[in-house]
Amino acid sequence: MLAIGIILIILGAIGLLMGLMMFGDIGIACMVGALAALLSGIGFLIARGKLKNL
């Protein structure tokens, strides 16, 4: 879970940067997808911490 979380956070950060370089609706769609990946990565890291405590 740690590797998946880190990869999703990296892809989300790269996607946000690329979305800022795009124009119009495609840039917005790219940034929404990047935000989803970023939040999923953070969620994986939080879930890993909670499962480790069990």
Side-chain angles (χ1 to χ4, degrees), residues 7-24 26-42:
I7 290 170
L8 281 170
I9 290 173
I10 291 170
L11 287 176
I14 292 170
L16 279 175
L17 292 175
M18 291 181 73
L20 290 173
M21 290 187 264
M22 296 179 185
F23 296 106
I26 294 176
I28 294 170
C30 182
M31 289 194 306
V32 168
L35 273 173
L38 196 61
L39 291 175
S40 296
I42 293 170

